Amino acid sequence: MYIDATKLPRGGGYRLLVGSVMPRPIAWITSGTDPVNLAPFSAFTWVSIDPPMLGVTIQQRVADGSTRDKDTLHNIRATGEYVVNIADESMLQVLHASSEGFAAEIGEPEQLGLPLTPSVAVSVPRLADVPVAMECRLDRVMQFSPTGGNFVVGTVVGWHVRDDVWGGDRILHDRVHPIGRLAGPRYTRVDEIIELPPVPGG
């Protein structure tokens, strides 16, 4: 079957994209301070290693026939700071619940019983119990479409790594137990790691 992307209805590529690009890591972002907003985003990757930079796509929220910026993007634009938290598989249910469209005046961490702890270099708190959290400062926001394809790029200014997943000079991926996103409300976990010999020059 061939699907002509130019003939899809507006927004019609979404299901094809999320069904093609998988599994996807999840950026569980805390933003704002009063209240602290929390939301998961699975269009997420790193874009630079020196300096370390992360990229995440934040679509606009569609409700009642209109679109508006999500609270996460609004907060990031306003403060220039945020934290990317990485959940482990024990947090799957509450991570999924945090994707609900809460009102802007409701802080998801408090609503969902997730403890926060202060960051070091940014004003936005981080989730206390995640294995990895990255404090970020906004570098730029690039909008790729009128439907709200905002690509948010931030510089990592500090890491928090839980003691049990720290190997002295690196994060022990087999102890993080991260969650991956598939299409729709479907997730996967890393339950098998396949290690191959290093490729010369790779």
Side-chain angles (χ1 to χ4, degrees):
M1 172 183 288
Y2 174 73
I3 301 170
D4 187 341
T6 66
K7 296 181 180 178
L8 291 171
R10 182 176 177 178
Y14 173 75
R15 289 184 181 177
L16 292 171
L17 284 171
V18 299
S20 303
V21 184
M22 60 179 181
R24 301 184 302 282
I26 302 170
W28 207 10
I29 297 178
T30 45
S31 65
T33 56
D34 185 25
V36 175
N37 177 265
L38 175 67
F41 299 91
S42 60
F44 164 53
T45 188
W46 56 267
V47 297
S48 169
I49 58 173
D50 188 16
M53 302 177 81
L54 302 174
V56 59
T57 299
I58 302 179
Q59 302 290 339
Q60 287 189 309
R61 183 175 298 284
V62 180
D64 302 322
S66 63
T67 60
R68 64 173 179 85
D69 286 346
K70 291 187 176 181
D71 296 333
T72 301
L73 181 59
H74 172 79
N75 291 338
I76 290 173
R77 286 187 190 275
T79 68
E81 298 179 337
Y82 57 104
V83 180
V84 173
N85 303 273
I86 303 299
D88 64 32
E89 61 184 33
S90 71
M91 303 170 178
L92 175 58
Q93 294 292 336
V94 70
L95 178 142
H96 182 65
S98 71
S99 65
E100 181 183 338
F102 289 92
E105 63 272 15
I106 295 176
E108 288 85 354
E110 182 179 3
Q111 186 80 5
L112 298 171
L114 290 165
L116 295 166
T117 193
S119 296
V120 173
V122 302
S123 60
V124 179
R126 59 190 174 90
L127 294 176
D129 297 330
V130 294
V132 178
M134 293 165 279
E135 297 183 16
C136 297
R137 288 203 179 100
L138 177 64
D139 180 82
R140 70 194 73 179
V141 178
M142 294 172 281
Q143 186 173 29
F144 287 94
S145 76
T147 57
N150 295 287
F151 188 60
V152 178
V153 178
T155 301
V156 180
V157 296
W159 264 270
H160 298 271
V161 183
R162 211 170 57 199
D163 290 346
D164 62 305
V165 302
W166 182 240
D169 63 347
R170 68 192 64 200
I171 295 168
L172 302 175
H173 50 263
D174 57 333
R175 296 185 184 179
V176 174
H177 304 295
I179 303 163
R181 180 78 186 275
L182 303 174
R186 298 176 182 87
Y187 302 83
T188 187
R189 59 188 179 193
V190 179
D191 53 11
E192 181 181 8
I193 296 172
I194 301 170
E195 185 170 355
L196 301 177
V199 176

